Amino acid sequence: MENITVSSHFNLTMFVNIGHYRYLAFVFCLLLYSFIIFANLIIILVISRERALHEPMYIFIALLSINSLYGSTGFFPRFLMDLLSDVHLISRPACFTQIYIIYTYASYEMTILGIIAYDRYVAVCHALHYYRRMNSKKVIKLATAAWLFPAFGILILISLSARLPLCGNEIQKIFCANWNIVKLSCVTTDVNNIYGLILTIATVFFPLFYVLYTYLRILIICWRSSAEFKGKVFQSCLPHIISFVIYSTTGFCDIALSRYDIEKINPFLAVTLALEFVVIPPALNPLVYGLKLPEIRKHISRTLFMV
């Protein structure tokens, strides 16, 4: 049996030594984090204060912005500290806390996008029954399910990983990741792997295929409808499609990176791919919805002039 390493800290090994350029990187990332906070807060403020936007679709968009604030806050403060540090050690409790925040952020993003897809499906395919099927009680139930299921699922995942005896403490990431810790285990990880697969299917692949199914149904309806109807559907659905494609692409890059040998990849490319997952969706979502949906864009302009 390999030597079991009892360590109170993990070492994040993917950080690249860029010398004095780290200060420039720090300023850039700080500005990016500030933009994410500002842009998502504007979306939340506009939707919460404008009664005309108290519709299911806009409420779910506000949930996306809340989740962006949640996920980026779980990543950026620690990342900014690491940029200025020569040592990238993180304590076990802090590491598992970061895993919980980033993994729940990822799951929330997919489940909320799945709910938005359902909302658009009902609005297009069952327009006459929309307000009956998407009443306030239904919205609350969907939002609650989208938050609670990943919260408990990820908690169990981390509990299974935290009990593993480890034969090392180096994590080939710029943030803590569950799979990287599981790979350090000195014992069999069959239970972790099976549960992780089930959780991935429930929180990633099921929403993914459901989104694809709903848009297939919407496409069939649009195919038989007038050009004016197609234009309205395209306008309301395009931001969600863009968000879904962006998140799916960045999520796939992160999953592929965690399964690949990092040492065979250019270090700067590896860091870029790792950053996409926690940076691009929170930064682009408010731009996509703020610029593409006329109702939100109109109220954003009014709000900014009032601030």
Side-chain angles (χ1 to χ4, degrees):
M1 179 180 288
E2 298 181 59
N3 293 330
I4 296 177
T5 301
V6 180
S7 176
S8 60
H9 291 78
F10 291 105
N11 185 19
L12 303 174
T13 63
M14 196 188 284
F15 282 91
V16 180
N17 185 6
I18 55 177
H20 293 298
Y21 288 107
R22 62 183 176 178
Y23 299 108
L24 183 62
F26 175 86
V27 172
F28 173 77
C29 291
L30 180 60
L31 291 174
L32 180 60
Y33 180 40
S34 300
F35 169 77
I36 289 173
I37 293 175
F38 174 77
N40 284 285
L41 282 177
I42 286 293
I43 295 290
I44 295 168
L45 177 63
V46 166
I47 293 175
S48 62
R49 69 180 293 175
E50 298 294 339
R51 295 186 63 86
L53 300 180
H54 292 178
E55 299 285 338
M57 180 178 72
Y58 300 114
I59 292 173
F60 296 141
I61 291 172
L63 289 181
L64 273 182
S65 287
I66 292 172
N67 189 46
S68 293
L69 292 175
Y70 169 71
S72 57
T73 302
F75 168 74
F76 271 101
R78 171 73 203 193
F79 178 68
L80 291 171
M81 290 172 55
D82 282 327
L83 280 177
L84 299 181
S85 176
D86 294 322
V87 179
H88 307 109
L89 296 177
I90 181 171
S91 68
R92 287 177 64 95
C95 187
F96 283 114
T97 299
Q98 188 180 60
I99 292 174
Y100 182 80
I101 293 175
I102 291 178
Y103 276 49
T104 48
Y105 149 75
S107 299
Y108 293 154
E109 193 81 2
M110 187 59 82
T111 54
I112 294 171
L113 287 172
I115 290 175
I116 296 177
Y118 173 74
D119 174 76
R120 294 299 81 205
Y121 163 72
V122 175
V124 174
C125 301
H126 302 279
L128 297 178
H129 305 286
Y130 177 75
Y131 288 102
R132 180 176 63 83
R133 297 183 62 169
M134 292 298 296
N135 53 50
S136 58
K137 290 184 178 181
K138 185 67 169 290
V139 170
I140 292 173
K141 288 180 180 179
L142 288 172
T144 301
W147 289 94
L148 288 182
F149 179 75
F152 286 107
I154 301 299
L155 185 61
I156 296 173
L157 180 74
I158 293 176
S159 299
L160 290 173
S161 299
R163 69 176 178 79
L164 292 173
L166 305 180
C167 291
N169 71 332
E170 292 189 350
I171 297 177
Q172 290 184 315
K173 277 277 196 178
I174 54 176
F175 56 85
C176 289
N178 183 73
W179 174 245
N180 295 76
I181 291 178
V182 171
K183 287 193 295 184
L184 297 174
S185 175
C186 301
V187 298
T188 180
T189 58
D190 290 343
V191 174
N192 300 70
N193 296 336
I194 293 172
Y195 180 78
L197 178 61
I198 294 173
L199 187 63
T200 301
I201 292 172
T203 59
V204 177
F205 288 105
F206 178 75
L208 172 66
F209 288 123
Y210 183 74
V211 170
L212 295 177
Y213 166 77
T214 55
Y215 274 101
L216 177 62
R217 295 291 302 272
I218 290 173
L219 185 64
I220 293 173
I221 294 294
C222 289
W223 185 265
R224 306 168 181 170
S225 304
S226 64
E228 181 182 1
F229 180 81
K230 292 177 184 176
K232 291 180 178 179
V233 172
F234 181 77
Q235 186 181 58
S236 67
C237 293
L238 181 61
H240 177 254
I241 295 173
I242 295 174
S243 290
F244 177 73
V245 170
I246 290 172
Y247 180 72
S248 298
T249 303
T250 57
F252 173 79
C253 288
D254 183 73
I255 293 173
L257 185 65
S258 66
R259 298 307 195 266
Y260 198 77
D261 186 359
I262 302 297
E263 296 179 355
K264 296 181 180 180
I265 307 176
N266 180 284
F268 292 98
L269 175 61
V271 171
T272 301
L273 292 174
L275 281 172
E276 285 183 341
F277 171 62
V278 288
V279 171
I280 293 180
L284 290 189
N285 277 347
L287 291 178
V288 169
Y289 289 104
L291 296 177
K292 290 295 183 180
L293 291 178
E295 284 299 314
I296 294 182
R297 185 171 64 244
K298 177 178 66 177
H299 291 298
I300 284 177
S301 302
R302 184 187 308 169
T303 300
L304 289 177
F305 281 119
M306 292 175 62
V307 174

